Amino acid sequence: MEAGRSPWRKLQLRRATRGVLALTAGLLVLFLALLLVKLLLADPTSLLSTSVAIAAILEGLAAVAAVVLVVGDRRGSAPRPLALRSAQLMERQPVVDRTSEVAELVEKIEREPVVNVFGRRGVGKSFVLEYVVDVVNGNRKPNPDHSWPRTVLGALYFDLADVVGFDEIQRQVCQAAFGEDGNWSRFISYVQGEFRDRPILLVLDNVNSPGVWKAVGKASHQYLRIRTKDRLVLGSIDPLEFHNLQMSRIRMGGLDVTAFGQLAAQEGLHLGSSEVEDLHDQCDGLPYYARRSVALATLSRSRASGQRATLLDGVDLMDGTRDLVAYAALLAVINRQIPVRTLERCPLADFDVHLEDAINQSLLSPIAPDGRHLRMHDIARDDALRALAPEVSDAAASLFESARRRGKDVDAAVFAMFTDPEVVGAGDFDAVLLPVIRSAVGSRNYALLANLHLRSRQSKRILEFLAAEQARYDLFSYGRASQLAGLGRYSDAEEELLTSSIGSARTAPPAGNSALQLEMRFLQADIAHLLNRYEEAAEMFEELADWADSAGEAPLRAKCVWAHAHVLRHQGRDLDRALSLFSEAEALGEQAGALFVKSHSITGASGIRVLRGAILDDEDRRLAQLEEEVAATISHDGHMLGIWKAQARVDWIRGRHAHALETIDAAIDNALALNDRLLYNLYFERGEFRRLSGDAPGSLEDYDRALRFGTGNNDRNLIANALLGQVLADLSAGRWLHHSSEVEARGSALRARQMALEADIQVTAQVAEQVTGMLDGSVGVDPPRLIVF
């Protein structure tokens, strides 16, 4: 029974054992207290014999407790790599010239719940974060000039491998925490059980890929809602953008000339002042290079000759070390922390000799203190992948086959980008890569799609192989375009699609056209809609619906009919037809089992009726039934937010104002938890409810949130409506709360009108005309209802 118990279950057993022991100790203390009272009141002649009996009882209880503790420790213990805190992360390297950065970081940790430390690769972000974690955990003393966080009692550090998305991040965190795979909720439970109410510092380093930002923001919000006293620090190359968390930011730059020279000298490279200045300029003061003295000298020679340098230029590595470094670099693409055991399983002779050589050359470094994992800096990894191309190609083919045998298709797809496709075989290559790309598009794993694209661009052989077959190239292009569109880079996504077989033509596909090309055309039309080219998008969706119908693609046809209605609603030109198309899409979605289409069709039609003030008698019932249906599905987060927004709007029209505000507040809380960008539409909706209920100051707070987000993302629909909301809030208050004068307010209304016209949003343009008339007194003063579709 015990042999089959998982580490997590063993940990639970150990906790239960501790609880039993604590209860036993409490009862024992109570028993002794009662016994002592009785002794004091007893006959003195019986005191000695009673004391002997007590001593015997205590000795027996101590023996039992010892046995229980031993058994609990032996049988209920679980692998605990963290041992309540992250182990020592770095050796005793000096922290040169980071006094101000450390002081700023410590100050922000003391005051702010979330801090983002960002800067270029090689600038030393991870070095500083690891140093602070080691100081907090008592693994090293702080430098005399440095302060350190006093409000946290321990620190956990995770170097995130973001290549394959948040699922892999969860797996790695749980493996490090309690020794088995798990999800983020189990990790939080682990922290709760181990630290309880003690505040700690959680560091998530290298959150570099925008493709995981939404998921990491969601996880961070969930963590801090439970661990309210903890502090969270996130390291990244670019400043992070979360919808649901306010972050304090620290930009980390390179060292100045003096500090750069000091660090180079400490690494054993003694240079004259002119040499230091020259190298400092060439390396932009990045301390990573100064810590690699051999590489630094090599870099200097290569730069002087005008050649592009890598950290391996001029470095004399044994053949076996080159092979080992190639394997390590490939594994580091998948996981930033390389298990020594995994590297040992690679076909490498004289492993220990070559590992020592790689460590001596500063290409790999053991993670203190046990050395069971290795680390490879991104710069060293990427340089090795480029400089050791033959060894990398052979190693990638081996790792590709190994990953396939173990069912790790995502890992295999990444390794495939470094192989020679002729060696692994076109059939095996496609059998792995094509399903992985389709799955990544469906699950919106933008981090994986971005990495596959990046690695493919670095290999001429891979690019030639992708271009050799149109279907293969189309799928790869579709994955890239989906990733770009998902991150809001619509123009780039459109350009990517133009390189595929669908090109820029909008003629009907040829006979026998693939389902993939239809999906690509849908994305093309959707991008036109997102770029506010509504007339073009409406025509494309209408044509595509007919093509999908003739091809027997029922789910795609339903989606196209819904999208056509969605575009018409945005324009506000033909709302009657939009309602008709929404009704058709709802029926098609029901027939095709496309809940997404059905849900958005019902809420889209409801929004038009709310705008017109003519909701159906059974509008509440329809939305309630939809809510129940969506709630029964496995994944419903995005759908539910839209349903709640629609329900709140209907409640407001029905006069249930308090309930409408409660519903929209609950939707906002859920959008915050999900790190969902619909949050800002919900803020806008709450601003409307507050304005219409007479709370002009409160509405301005929500309009401002929506405006700031819309401005940062160039969402002209949201910007125009938020500007109008601010003007209407001042008008409803009867005084200038936001604008300084009528002239300034009129300027905002005209700006909103112009923006709506440019974006072809007719409804908003008409409302802007009405608001402008209200300002100059040419129309009535009844406040119009604003809606962001």
Side-chain angles (χ1 to χ4, degrees):
M1 178 71 179
E2 179 64 27
R5 195 174 278 137
S6 72
W8 179 258
R9 296 300 177 193
K10 293 178 182 179
L11 182 60
Q12 299 298 93
L13 176 60
R14 183 169 185 170
R15 289 174 181 166
T17 302
R18 290 175 184 166
V20 171
L21 288 175
L23 178 61
T24 302
L27 293 173
L28 180 59
V29 169
L30 178 62
F31 169 74
L32 290 177
L34 293 174
L35 193 58
L36 182 60
V37 171
K38 183 176 180 179
L39 283 174
L40 293 175
L41 299 176
D43 186 344
T45 58
S46 64
L47 183 60
L48 180 60
S49 60
T50 305
S51 299
V52 172
I54 292 174
I57 292 172
L58 287 176
E59 183 177 357
L61 287 172
V64 171
V67 170
V68 172
L69 283 172
V70 168
V71 171
D73 188 61
R74 289 180 178 176
R75 300 186 62 197
S77 62
R80 298 167 63 195
L82 296 177
L84 296 182
R85 301 175 175 188
S86 284
Q88 180 183 338
L89 296 173
M90 60 165 57
E91 303 296 338
R92 302 293 173 177
Q93 306 105 314
V95 183
V96 175
D97 193 39
R98 290 302 191 189
T99 304
S100 60
E101 288 94 336
V102 172
E104 184 180 7
L105 176 58
V106 170
E107 179 190 4
K108 290 185 182 298
I109 289 172
E110 295 286 308
R111 295 187 293 104
E112 308 286 346
V114 187
V115 182
N116 175 210
V117 180
F118 68 96
R120 292 175 299 164
R121 279 189 171 90
V123 81
K125 302 180 300 294
S126 297
F127 187 88
V128 170
L129 294 178
E130 291 174 3
Y131 164 76
V132 170
V133 167
D134 276 350
V135 169
V136 169
N137 286 334
N139 291 324
R140 68 182 292 164
K141 293 182 180 179
N143 288 9
D145 296 331
H146 294 165
S147 57
W148 64 94
R150 299 177 183 275
T151 58
V152 291
L153 302 179
L156 303 179
Y157 175 92
F158 298 100
D159 193 356
L160 301 186
D162 51 23
V163 61
V164 292
F166 189 70
D167 286 345
E168 181 64 17
I169 289 175
Q170 293 183 105
R171 189 191 69 78
Q172 291 185 29
V173 167
C174 291
Q175 280 286 350
F178 47 80
E180 66 178 53
D181 291 351
N183 57 28
W184 190 253
S185 295
R186 289 185 66 184
F187 167 69
I188 296 176
S189 297
Y190 172 85
V191 175
Q192 280 285 85
E194 294 299 318
F195 291 98
R196 295 179 175 83
D197 59 350
R198 289 175 290 169
I200 66 166
L201 172 66
L202 174 62
V203 178
L204 303 179
D205 198 7
N206 288 308
V207 189
N208 295 328
S209 172
V212 298
W213 287 359
K214 179 176 180 179
V216 172
K218 175 182 175 181
S220 299
H221 187 273
Q222 180 186 0
Y223 181 89
L224 291 174
R225 289 190 75 166
I226 297 173
R227 301 283 301 172
T228 57
K229 297 179 181 179
D230 287 4
R231 294 292 184 263
L232 176 63
V233 174
L234 301 154
S236 61
I237 296 173
D238 298 314
L240 297 175
E241 294 292 343
F242 292 166
H243 302 311
N244 59 346
L245 292 174
Q246 295 296 319
M247 285 180 287
S248 181
R249 293 189 173 90
I250 298 174
R251 185 187 189 96
M252 190 167 291
L255 302 174
D256 61 24
V257 175
T258 302
F260 193 84
Q262 291 173 353
L263 187 55
Q266 288 172 354
E267 295 298 320
L269 188 62
H270 300 285
L271 305 169
S273 59
S274 62
E275 292 177 303
V276 170
E277 291 179 5
D278 184 44
L279 286 174
H280 176 271
D281 292 342
Q282 293 177 17
C283 301
D284 295 327
L286 299 181
Y288 176 77
Y289 291 96
R291 287 198 169 92
R292 287 353 185 229
S293 56
V294 174
L296 191 60
T298 303
L299 184 68
S300 175
R301 293 194 301 271
S302 299
R303 290 289 177 87
S305 63
Q307 299 174 357
R308 187 169 189 267
T310 74
L311 293 178
L312 294 174
D313 288 345
V315 178
D316 186 19
L317 294 177
M318 294 182 285
D319 290 343
T321 305
R322 293 170 67 88
D323 292 335
L324 183 144
V325 171
Y327 275 101
L330 288 166
L331 292 171
V333 173
I334 298 295
N335 190 338
R336 293 183 187 276
Q337 294 189 6
I338 309 165
V340 174
R341 182 177 298 178
T342 300
L343 197 56
E344 284 177 328
R345 288 199 291 264
C346 297
L348 296 165
D350 299 322
F351 177 82
D352 293 338
V353 173
H354 297 301
L355 177 59
E356 183 178 0
D357 187 28
I359 292 173
N360 290 338
Q361 298 285 1
S362 298
L363 296 172
L364 291 171
S365 57
I367 298 177
D370 58 18
R372 290 182 297 180
H373 290 79
L374 303 166
R375 100 176 60 199
M376 193 176 203
H377 195 281
D378 288 357
I379 295 175
R381 178 198 67 193
D382 292 343
D383 280 350
L385 293 172
R386 183 170 64 253
L388 304 177
E391 292 83 359
V392 167
S393 180
D394 292 342
S398 174
L399 291 173
F400 173 84
E401 293 299 336
S402 175
R404 284 198 68 194
R405 287 195 302 270
R406 292 181 290 114
K408 300 283 189 179
D409 284 353
V410 170
D411 291 357
V414 176
F415 294 138
M417 294 296 98
F418 300 92
T419 65
D420 181 345
E422 293 183 0
V423 173
V424 300
D428 288 346
F429 190 101
D430 289 343
V432 168
L433 191 68
L434 304 188
V436 164
I437 291 178
R438 281 195 170 279
S439 175
V441 170
S443 63
R444 301 181 182 182
N445 189 344
Y446 301 137
L448 174 59
L449 292 170
N451 194 273
L452 291 174
H453 171 78
L454 171 66
R455 300 306 176 185
S456 71
R457 305 303 299 175
Q458 296 170 345
S459 171
K460 182 181 178 182
R461 287 178 303 185
I462 293 296
L463 291 175
E464 291 174 345
F465 179 73
L466 293 175
E469 185 173 318
Q470 190 63 58
R472 182 188 300 131
Y473 183 86
D474 279 353
L475 182 58
F476 208 83
S477 179
Y478 176 57
R480 172 62 172 168
S482 299
Q483 177 248 326
L484 291 170
L487 298 180
R489 295 171 56 185
Y490 305 130
S491 296
D492 292 338
E494 188 171 50
E495 289 182 10
E496 176 65 37
L497 285 175
L498 295 183
T499 69
S500 70
S501 63
I502 66 171
S504 59
R506 283 184 37 223
T507 57
N513 182 67
S514 69
L516 172 61
Q517 285 184 311
L518 292 175
E519 292 173 11
M520 293 171 71
R521 288 193 178 277
F522 181 89
L523 179 58
Q524 188 180 35
D526 195 33
I527 290 171
H529 146 247
L530 293 167
L531 290 171
N532 301 130
R533 302 202 308 264
Y534 293 126
E535 292 286 354
E536 178 185 348
E539 292 177 12
M540 293 174 72
F541 282 129
E542 187 172 19
E543 292 173 355
L544 188 55
D546 293 337
W547 298 340
D549 187 26
S550 62
E553 297 286 342
L556 180 59
R557 181 190 172 206
K559 192 163 62 168
C560 290
V561 173
W562 161 77
H564 187 189
H566 180 74
V567 170
L568 292 178
R569 184 187 63 167
H570 262 307
Q571 282 182 294
R573 255 186 202 160
D574 193 347
L575 295 181
D576 286 332
R577 188 175 184 209
L579 281 172
S580 175
L581 287 171
F582 275 135
S583 178
E584 181 184 354
E586 179 186 347
L588 291 172
E590 178 75 35
Q591 294 170 11
L595 183 58
F596 167 88
V597 172
K598 178 181 177 180
S599 171
H600 286 276
S601 297
I602 291 174
T603 56
S606 179
I608 293 176
R609 290 191 287 268
V610 167
L611 178 65
R612 291 177 161 182
I615 58 176
L616 301 174
D617 291 340
D618 65 343
E619 197 90 44
D620 315 67
R621 179 188 60 79
R622 283 168 53 81
L623 290 172
Q625 288 179 342
L626 178 63
E627 181 184 17
E628 290 179 5
E629 184 176 356
V630 170
T633 64
I634 296 174
S635 177
H636 56 67
D637 295 337
H639 301 316
M640 199 63 82
L641 292 176
I643 294 169
W644 289 335
K645 184 175 75 169
Q647 288 177 323
R649 287 172 170 175
V650 171
D651 280 338
W652 188 269
I653 287 184
R654 299 286 197 209
R656 300 189 290 263
H657 294 174
H659 192 260
L661 278 167
E662 289 175 3
T663 301
I664 212 70
D665 282 340
I668 287 173
D669 285 343
N670 279 273
L672 285 168
L674 295 171
N675 193 26
D676 195 296
R677 65 171 291 164
L678 189 64
L679 169 69
Y680 299 97
N681 290 37
L682 297 171
Y683 277 140
F684 177 85
E685 202 67 34
R686 189 172 68 180
E688 281 292 283
F689 291 165
R690 286 175 166 177
R691 173 176 68 84
L692 296 173
S693 62
D695 181 11
S699 71
L700 285 171
E701 293 177 4
D702 287 327
Y703 291 142
D704 182 63
R705 289 188 180 101
L707 180 59
R708 280 187 279 116
F709 172 76
T711 302
N713 288 269
N714 196 32
D715 187 332
R716 291 181 288 181
N717 190 12
L718 196 56
I719 295 171
N721 279 282
L723 288 171
L724 293 175
Q726 290 175 335
V727 175
L728 289 171
D730 280 355
L731 290 175
S732 66
R735 62 187 190 280
W736 301 117
L737 294 175
H738 178 78
H739 300 92
S740 61
S741 65
E742 180 182 328
V743 173
E744 185 182 356
R746 183 180 178 83
S748 292
L750 290 174
R751 180 187 167 202
R753 176 179 175 276
Q754 182 63 27
M755 189 170 291
L757 289 173
E758 290 174 353
D760 194 19
I761 307 173
Q762 299 300 313
V763 170
T764 304
Q766 293 166 12
V767 173
E769 290 273 11
Q770 184 180 352
V771 173
T772 304
M774 293 173 65
L775 286 168
D776 60 27
S778 62
V779 300
V781 295
D782 289 338
R785 174 72 160 94
L786 302 174
I787 283 188
V788 174
F789 287 125

